[in-house]
Amino acid sequence: LECIQWLETADPDTWDDNYLCHGTFEGPEIVNHLPDWPEDFKWSNGGVPDGYTCMRVLEFAEPKEHTWEDNFFCWMDGMPDPGLRWSMAGAIEGQKCVQITEAADPDTWTDNYICLPLNTPYDFKWTSAGPLEGLECIQWLEPADPDTWDDNYLCHSWWHQDPSLKTVNGAWTHFGKWSECSASCGTGTQSRKRSCEN
């Protein structure tokens, strides 16, 4: 067995001999967490940047001189794929999609979407009128496109940015009495509980 000690020096009731132990781990494979927003993401209007994996952002109706063929939305290499998918033909069925629009652009920016798996932790918001107040945003800039692509942002709303949510100190109760030992002789286990009063 592998064990880690559970120690609470402020508790006078012998917390120096408590351990959490386990044998072979049986469960899901532990993988790296998804990329953090916004620091692990990047917009590029000049091809795939070094050190990043990218989703291409393209609109075939754009004139060639607007250079949309080299635009990418990226996340850092080594991070798991967040499941980003681009569509220039409407929302992808079975995905959580956000429409990417630019009303001032006449080249069919009405059916473009960035999509993610339904269970994604990301909650994207799109704006073509500057960054959204209170949200963390990444600018999508294409300087070669004259149709006001200088004020477009993909933003993300984390749960902690919701002003209606408030931190609550649940306060722990005192520990209860120790349970009976699981063995009458030799090695056994005991436990005691406490709960969060909310």
Side-chain angles (χ1 to χ4, degrees), residues 48-64:
V48 176
D50 289 339
Y52 286 85
T53 302
C54 300
M55 170 195 74
R56 190 174 204 176
V57 176
L58 191 56
E59 174 50 75
F60 287 142
E62 282 284 349
K64 188 153 184 70

Side-chain angles (χ1 to χ4, degrees), residues 19-48:
Y19 292 85
L20 175 64
C21 302
H22 70 86
T24 305
F25 180 74
E26 295 178 15
E29 180 182 350
I30 297 174
V31 296
N32 292 336
H33 69 282
L34 289 171
D36 289 325
W37 183 270
E39 54 271 11
D40 293 337
F41 289 89
K42 182 176 190 158
W43 169 259
S44 172
N45 58 25
V48 176

Side-chain angles (χ1 to χ4, degrees), residues 57-77:
V57 176
L58 191 56
E59 174 50 75
F60 287 142
E62 282 284 349
K64 188 153 184 70
E65 63 271 14
H66 293 183
T67 69
W68 275 93
E69 68 276 357
D70 61 354
N71 289 277
F72 293 87
F73 188 58
C74 310
W75 58 96
M76 292 181 77
D77 280 346

Side-chain angles (χ1 to χ4, degrees), residues 42-174:
K42 182 176 190 158
W43 169 259
S44 172
N45 58 25
V48 176
D50 289 339
Y52 286 85
T53 302
C54 300
M55 170 195 74
R56 190 174 204 176
V57 176
L58 191 56
E59 174 50 75
F60 287 142
E62 282 284 349
K64 188 153 184 70
E65 63 271 14
H66 293 183
T67 69
W68 275 93
E69 68 276 357
D70 61 354
N71 289 277
F72 293 87
F73 188 58
C74 310
W75 58 96
M76 292 181 77
D77 280 346
M79 302 296 292
D81 181 347
L84 290 171
R85 301 297 177 261
W86 178 255
S87 171
M88 54 185 161
I92 300 172
E93 188 175 338
Q95 298 262 305
K96 181 179 177 180
C97 299
V98 175
Q99 188 175 22
I100 307 299
T101 61
E102 175 48 78
D105 193 326
D107 299 310
T108 72
W109 279 91
T110 57
D111 57 355
N112 297 288
Y113 289 82
I114 185 170
C115 299
L116 293 151
L118 289 174
N119 63 348
T120 184
Y122 302 110
D123 186 16
F124 289 152
K125 313 260 185 259
W126 177 257
T127 173
S128 57
L132 295 172
E133 186 177 335
L135 300 183
E136 296 171 316
C137 302
I138 296 175
Q139 186 176 21
W140 285 29
L141 177 64
E142 178 44 80
D145 190 330
D147 298 313
T148 72
W149 275 93
D150 58 351
D151 58 355
N152 296 296
Y153 289 82
L154 184 65
C155 303
H156 177 32
S157 174
W158 290 104
W159 67 269
H160 65 268
Q161 292 175 321
D162 182 343
S164 69
L165 298 177
K166 299 193 180 347
T167 302
V168 175
N169 182 356
W172 288 100
T173 63
H174 292 288

